[in-house]
Amino acid sequence: MQAEQAAQLGRYPAAKRVIAHVSDTHLLQGGARLGGVADTVRALDQAVRQLSRLGDRLDAIVVTGDVTDLGEPDAYRLVRDALDPLAASTGAALVWVIGNHDERPVFRRELLGEVPSESPTHRAVAIGGLRIVVLDTSVPGYHHGALDATSLEWLDRVLDEPAPEGTVLAMHHAPIPTPLPLMDVLELRGQDELADVIRGRDVRHILGGHLHYATNGMFAGIPVSVAGALAYTMDLSAPPRDLVGVDGGRSFTLVHLYDEAVVTSVVPLGPFPVVTHLGEAFLTEIEQLPPAGRIERFSRKPTAPEAE
């Protein structure tokens, strides 16, 4: 992070790295509404507005797949037009991960600036001492995910050399269970083999998408976080044999990496009415007080007025 940090008020210092984890934007050519209902362009623009508030505290913006719904070139350009200025203004690295709705040749050309091909889009990105390893779990022509022997051998070679601040894996098909019917058919295949490669290495966290709801789990002893989709959200309260996507509940995730911890926070896509707000002036006042004064000023609960 490049911004000057505020004074440490509690046990933990500021995070060493901050990642904005965005997923499943599903844009269509011309910004058409998904299913004739979901305004994916507006949702993406709102996410950009909210992320821009963080200024240069962001180190990376990781988009974990299904950038477009049909792999249309114009749709990729719409996403780039929204996220490139955000990356430029914050100084954050923009990291693209391919999903099952994306098409490798167009994805390569429009987002990676590479010659179109059907080869996997694996790569490793250095963010200071942190390494983000992008795994292409897509299977051309299908919606489930898979990692073949060649991909796992590539990952094994990359992880042979530990990164100073560890590694974050970013993939579309997250290796955790889902309670949604049918979605488990579309899970990542080859999970046992992946676990064998990453267990005991320097992987600190795994980022995923695909599920269209924010969730967390563990895989091979490593925490996994799935970002909620910007396009639409799966309703986990639907009847047991129904698979329902709704035009609401959108979110992205902020990932804060500390020396000894990784914290993920789900940020709902607004705007919303403000209930309470403590601004810069209040924080400055707290910073200037000694520890006992901070507790008295902010931590102590107010007493309720006595009933007459």
Side-chain angles (χ1 to χ4, degrees), residues 72-239:
E72 300 159 312
D74 176 65
Y76 285 114
R77 294 177 198 131
L78 286 173
V79 180
R80 287 221 69 145
D81 287 347
L83 291 181
D84 276 351
L86 175 65
S89 66
T90 60
L94 188 50
V95 181
W96 302 101
V97 182
I98 197 167
N100 52 284
H101 278 262
D102 295 306
E103 298 291 338
R104 281 178 180 168
V106 188
F107 182 95
R108 278 188 177 279
R109 185 182 69 232
E110 298 296 337
L111 298 185
L112 305 182
E114 299 175 356
V115 175
S117 80
E118 284 287 0
S119 58
T121 60
H122 311 311
R123 65 196 182 284
V125 180
I127 310 293
L130 178 70
R131 177 171 57 196
I132 300 178
V133 173
V134 174
L135 282 180
D136 181 346
T137 58
S138 67
V139 180
Y142 293 87
H143 285 302
H144 70 276
L147 288 167
D148 60 17
T150 301
S151 296
L152 292 170
E153 288 167 5
W154 175 86
L155 177 62
D156 188 49
R157 290 193 301 271
V158 170
L159 296 179
D160 270 344
E161 181 69 30
E165 296 176 26
T167 296
V168 171
L169 292 187
M171 62 184 74
H172 184 62
H173 300 82
I176 57 173
T178 175
L180 288 175
L182 296 181
M183 285 295 289
D184 53 356
V185 177
L186 310 180
E187 67 188 6
L188 177 67
R189 300 180 185 178
Q191 293 188 27
D192 291 341
E193 293 79 3
L194 174 61
D196 289 341
V197 172
I198 66 176
R199 191 179 283 112
R201 310 299 270 276
D202 74 337
V203 179
R204 302 180 61 189
H205 202 79
I206 299 173
L207 304 178
H210 187 52
L211 297 179
H212 282 245
Y213 60 91
T215 189
N216 296 276
M218 296 288 292
F219 177 75
I222 301 165
V224 179
S225 61
V226 175
L230 291 191
Y232 64 90
T233 304
M234 299 308 300
D235 184 0
L236 272 72
S237 69

Side-chain angles (χ1 to χ4, degrees), residues 18-21 51 54 58 252-256 263-267:
V18 180
I19 297 172
H21 180 193
L51 285 168
L54 297 173
L58 281 180
F252 58 85
T253 300
L254 290 177
V255 183
H256 289 78
V263 176
T264 60
S265 307
V266 176
V267 182

